[in-house]
Amino acid sequence: MTISIEAIYEAGVLKPLAPLPALKEHERVRITLEPLSTIAEQRKERLRIDPQIAREIADGHEYDSVES
């Protein structure tokens, strides 16, 4: 089982931002850390789009989420 969570590091302790019901009290786990700033930078690179194309998509009615 793999769980991905967000946590904050405060006073030398990692604190989950949401409860972890899948874990038992005192259960040992292995933690791999990746700062969210790194993830955000990776996503920014993947989502790079030409501004003109972005404007055409935004203005195009075929991309509307609600049908009229």
Side-chain angles (χ1 to χ4, degrees):
M1 167 184 57
T2 300
I3 302 171
S4 293
I5 65 162
E6 289 188 21
I8 189 164
Y9 184 71
E10 292 181 340
V13 177
L14 282 171
K15 298 179 181 181
L17 297 179
L20 301 171
L23 296 177
K24 298 175 189 166
E25 194 69 22
H26 303 289
E27 186 171 352
R28 293 178 66 109
V29 298
R30 175 169 306 183
I31 298 174
T32 303
L33 300 176
E34 183 174 356
L36 289 180
S37 59
T38 302
I39 295 169
E41 285 301 315
Q42 291 170 352
R43 288 181 181 158
K44 187 195 292 186
E45 290 300 316
R46 283 191 303 212
L47 296 176
R48 195 166 291 202
I49 186 170
D50 179 89
Q52 180 61 34
I53 293 172
R55 175 56 51 206
E56 290 172 14
I57 291 171
D59 291 342
H61 294 293
E62 69 251 36
Y63 298 106
D64 290 347
S65 60
V66 178
E67 293 183 23
S68 8

